[in-house]
Amino acid sequence: MNIVRTNSENSDFINLVKQLDAYLKITDGDEHAFYNQFNNIDVLKQVVVLYDDTEINSAQVNFPVGCGSIKKFDEISVEVKRMYVSPKNRGTGIAQKILNELEIWAKELGYKKCVLETGKRQIEAVQFYKKCGYKIIPNYGQYTAMENSICFEKEL
């Protein structure tokens, strides 16, 4: 596996986000339009894409299987955004590698904390963030009044 730091113009990132949005459209239901307005990727400058290196007919091929990004939240925090792993690659540690890389990058940029929002209906995501040391916090910003939202933070 190979993880690459890039930005939101990366075509593999764009394609993975399209898959994420299709998934969220189903799980968010009627609330999808509300959440989707906060997910513009053009503002994302720190993006990671994880590739699965596979050999096909003696040639090395890199398949993008997961992604995530961070963006400035406040002076000491970044917000984790657009975390996604393709369904057939879930449960293999890919999400943890992506999140670890994002946390390292945030520290390198001088941030002290990561925050994020996910939906209560994304049960696997909620369990994942708890397993990675994220603590539930009061919903922030645009998510304050959203019953489906659950917000987390982690000190770096």
Side-chain angles (χ1 to χ4, degrees), residues 102-140:
L102 292 171
E103 291 171 354
I104 290 166
W105 202 352
K107 280 194 255 187
E108 289 173 3
L109 293 170
Y111 293 100
K112 307 286 184 226
K113 186 170 29 172
C114 288
V115 299
L116 63 90
E117 179 276 340
T118 192
K120 291 179 182 176
R121 295 181 199 109
Q122 281 86 41
I123 296 164
E124 297 87 358
V126 171
Q127 292 172 344
F128 168 73
Y129 292 121
K130 286 179 179 178
K131 182 181 96 176
C132 291
Y134 282 74
K135 306 292 182 212
I136 296 173
I137 59 171
N139 288 359
Y140 57 81

Side-chain angles (χ1 to χ4, degrees):
M1 293 199 180
N2 176 22
I3 196 159
V4 174
R5 289 183 180 186
T6 185
N7 61 42
S8 62
E9 295 175 4
N10 179 289
S11 61
D12 293 327
F13 175 69
I14 292 168
N15 289 329
L16 287 165
V17 167
K18 286 178 184 175
Q19 294 172 40
L20 169 62
D21 286 337
Y23 167 75
L24 291 175
K25 189 171 186 177
I26 296 165
T27 60
D28 289 342
D30 294 340
E31 298 167 335
H32 181 70
F34 170 81
Y35 289 113
N36 201 42
Q37 69 181 316
F38 303 110
N39 289 326
N40 294 331
I41 63 171
D42 60 334
V43 298
L44 302 175
K45 307 299 181 220
Q46 290 88 27
V47 167
V48 298
V49 177
L50 192 139
Y51 294 87
D52 184 10
D53 303 326
T54 306
E55 192 170 310
I56 298 176
N57 297 329
S58 300
Q60 199 70 14
V61 180
N62 295 321
F63 291 104
V65 295
C67 65
S69 65
I70 52 173
K71 73 172 194 171
K72 181 179 178 176
F73 181 72
D74 60 28
E75 294 307 311
I76 63 164
S77 310
V78 291
E79 185 176 24
V80 176
K81 303 290 287 179
R82 312 313 334 218
M83 283 287 298
Y84 180 73
V85 174
S86 62
K88 70 178 184 167
N89 293 288
R90 292 181 185 160
T92 62
I94 289 173
Q96 189 143 18
K97 288 179 182 178
I98 292 168
L99 190 57
N100 287 343
E101 184 68 20
L102 292 171
E103 291 171 354
I104 290 166
W105 202 352
K107 280 194 255 187
E108 289 173 3
L109 293 170
Y111 293 100
K112 307 286 184 226
K113 186 170 29 172
C114 288
V115 299
L116 63 90
E117 179 276 340
T118 192
K120 291 179 182 176
R121 295 181 199 109
Q122 281 86 41
I123 296 164
E124 297 87 358
V126 171
Q127 292 172 344
F128 168 73
Y129 292 121
K130 286 179 179 178
K131 182 181 96 176
C132 291
Y134 282 74
K135 306 292 182 212
I136 296 173
I137 59 171
N139 288 359
Y140 57 81
Q142 65 266 25
Y143 307 114
T144 302
M146 296 302 295
E147 276 195 36
N148 179 49
S149 289
I150 184 167
C151 294
F152 290 90
E153 75 175 11
K154 180 180 180 182
E155 301 284 332
L156 298 175

